[in-house]
Amino acid sequence: VPPTREDALASFMFRIIAEHIEWQKGSVPEAERELQLYLAVYRTLLKADIARLRSRVFFLYHPQWKKTQSDEYARTVADDLDQVITTVDGQVKHPIAEQLSRQVGRYAVLFNVLFDVAAKEPDEFLSLAADTNSLDSAVKKAASARIKKFSSRKRNRVFRAIAFLFFTKMLLAIAIELPYDLLVSHTTTMLPLVVNVIFPPFLLAAIALTSGVSLKHVKEIQKGVRAIVYHSGELKLIFKVKKPWSQGTLAVVFAVLYVATFLVTFGLIGGLLLTLGFNAVSMIIFLLFLSLVTFFGIRIRQSCKEVIVPSSRGSIIGSLIDIFTLPILRAGRWISLRTPRINVFLFFMDFIIEAPFKMAIEVIESWLAFVREKKEEV
């Protein structure tokens, strides 16, 4: 069952963006521009995975594959399969793919909202689009509905994560931190235990739940949809490949400064924890959860880009905060990407937390069954 409507929407977005994009000279070879833009639309608008992207590129290079039943043609492709794979993956994993997708993705919400308006009133859409006020009103309703649904889903997601974090930290405190204090440090300082239990859920809530969507964002969507429908010049995308900083003397200077921000950030946090009476184990657990919670909180916060047109403008204060929070984010990303391979957390959750938890539930259920049995005897 081919996704006809989704493919039509992607083709529409591709045509509109192609009309409004301005390629900086030398950024991308002309022969590859349309294909890379097409793939960027599929990545951002339809959230296409690598398998779907590969199939799209393959069919673009071999359109007759679906039309012919010829074994000879199949053998021709099979004989040249290595080159076919190299060509397809070369386009799917193009060096500019990520940059272009980020820029194109800023406009995906406009086409999703326009799709919602057209899908709700398909027969009246053309007449509705002919009147600016009617179109604005319909877009406002559709955008508000998307924002409301997204906000509800995000809230539920954050509350579940907060509950899980609080429960996990309580178990960690009982299973690791408290025994370490009693058996190794021979002291019991409650402040580190309380901070380690309360701080991660509070931090996640502070990061993820403070990203509100206001009426200003709806107006930006209305403005963007008008630019699409009426072909105004307000929708313009200039694409240029960003200069790599991983070359030359400047790269060495930036690398040193980057390492310095790591040392300063984690050094200041470590110094603060020592003054609060944290021991080595408590500090490791605090920094581990600080990195992971900050990373996932920012990921949840940035997910609001699905329902708004994100602004490319920044502030000086925001940039300074980014400099010193980036090490924490990078550490959280590094841990989240590698723990599935190491399976340390899965081991920990299974044997230290989940197994005792299951055992406790089983004991409770057995006790309740025993009580019911005794009650029936009475």
Side-chain angles (χ1 to χ4, degrees):
V1 183
T4 307
R5 294 203 313 174
E6 289 78 4
D7 286 342
L9 180 63
S11 297
F12 174 64
M13 180 175 175
F14 166 75
R15 290 199 304 271
I16 296 296
I17 297 293
E19 291 175 6
H20 291 83
I21 191 171
E22 181 181 324
W23 299 90
Q24 191 175 55
K25 187 176 180 180
S27 59
V28 185
E30 285 192 31
E32 299 177 354
R33 289 177 180 178
E34 286 197 348
L35 179 54
Q36 286 307 310
L37 182 58
Y38 184 78
L39 293 177
V41 168
Y42 262 80
R43 281 191 195 94
T44 57
L45 183 69
L46 304 184
K47 303 292 187 287
D49 58 14
I50 192 167
R52 190 172 181 184
L53 294 174
R54 282 171 171 159
S55 71
R56 299 303 301 179
V57 176
F58 175 80
F59 291 134
L60 287 172
Y61 279 116
H62 300 276
Q64 61 270 46
W65 180 268
K66 292 182 177 181
K67 300 174 184 177
T68 181
Q69 300 293 327
S70 169
D71 291 342
E72 183 180 352
Y73 177 69
R75 279 193 295 271
T76 302
V77 175
D79 291 341
D80 198 29
L81 190 58
D82 288 340
Q83 184 58 42
V84 170
I85 292 172
T86 301
T87 303
V88 170
D89 274 356
Q91 294 298 332
V92 172
K93 300 176 182 179
H94 198 283
I96 60 100
E98 188 176 346
Q99 286 186 43
L100 186 57
S101 295
R102 281 200 301 267
Q103 294 197 35
V104 170
R106 295 180 67 245
Y107 303 98
V109 64
L110 303 179
F111 294 88
N112 280 322
V113 168
L114 189 58
F115 178 81
D116 291 345
V117 172
K120 187 175 182 180
E121 303 287 347
D123 297 329
E124 301 174 9
F125 177 71
L126 289 179
S127 58
L128 182 147
D131 179 62
T132 306
N133 293 330
S134 298
L135 179 64
D136 279 350
S137 178
V139 167
K140 183 178 181 179
K141 288 180 182 178
S144 299
R146 273 188 171 266
I147 290 170
K148 185 178 179 181
K149 182 178 179 181
F150 169 81
S151 299
S152 175
R153 191 171 67 243
K154 187 187 76 169
R155 252 192 328 270
N156 293 335
R157 182 182 176 189
V158 171
F159 287 145
R160 284 197 299 268
I162 289 171
F164 175 78
L165 262 177
F166 183 77
F167 178 73
T168 304
K169 290 295 292 174
M170 284 289 291
L171 290 175
L172 273 173
I174 296 170
I176 295 180
E177 294 182 68
L178 193 57
Y180 181 86
D181 286 345
L182 295 173
L183 300 176
V184 180
S185 300
H186 301 292
T187 57
T188 304
T189 308
M190 293 306 297
L191 182 60
L193 288 173
V194 173
V195 170
N196 265 348
V197 169
I198 295 176
F199 183 73
F202 177 79
L203 177 64
L204 181 61
I207 295 174
L209 295 178
T210 53
S211 56
V213 181
S214 64
L215 186 62
K216 177 187 71 174
H217 295 108
V218 176
K219 289 181 178 179
E220 286 293 322
I221 293 174
Q222 289 176 315
K223 181 180 176 181
V225 170
R226 286 198 301 270
I228 293 170
V229 174
Y230 305 126
H231 296 278
S232 65
E234 295 176 0
L235 186 70
K236 191 171 184 179
L237 173 65
I238 301 175
F239 180 75
K240 58 182 179 180
V241 178
K242 293 181 180 179
K243 180 182 177 182
W245 297 105
S246 58
Q247 300 173 355
T249 307
L250 200 57
V252 177
V253 174
F254 284 170
V256 172
L257 290 174
Y258 188 53
V259 172
T261 59
F262 264 85
L263 297 176
V264 170
T265 300
F266 284 100
L268 289 173
I269 295 172
L272 177 62
L273 295 179
L274 283 175
T275 60
L276 294 176
F278 278 67
N279 56 44
V281 172
S282 298
M283 285 179 62
I284 291 171
I285 291 175
F286 180 90
L287 292 173
L288 179 68
F289 275 86
L290 172 67
S291 301
L292 284 172
V293 168
T294 303
F295 173 66
F296 286 117
I298 294 296
R299 287 288 297 271
I300 293 173
R301 187 184 180 92
Q302 289 183 339
S303 64
C304 68
K305 292 179 181 179
E306 296 176 16
V307 293
I308 66 170
V309 181
S311 174
S312 57
R313 296 186 298 271
S315 64
I316 296 176
I317 296 175
S319 298
L320 290 174
I321 293 173
D322 288 342
I323 290 173
F324 291 100
T325 56
L326 183 60
I328 299 172
L329 286 172
R330 295 291 297 183
R333 182 176 184 273
W334 186 89
I335 295 168
S336 67
L337 290 175
R338 281 154 182 78
T339 47
R341 299 178 188 175
I342 302 172
N343 285 327
V344 171
F345 282 97
L346 293 179
F347 176 85
F348 177 82
M349 290 293 294
D350 193 31
F351 289 96
I352 296 182
I353 295 178
E354 189 175 0
F357 184 65
K358 286 180 177 178
M359 187 181 298
I361 291 176
E362 188 175 346
V363 169
I364 293 170
E365 287 179 344
S366 299
W367 168 252
L368 293 176
F370 173 79
V371 171
R372 281 195 300 269
E373 184 181 341
K374 291 302 178 183
K375 184 179 179 181
E376 288 173 1
E377 289 178 2
V378 173

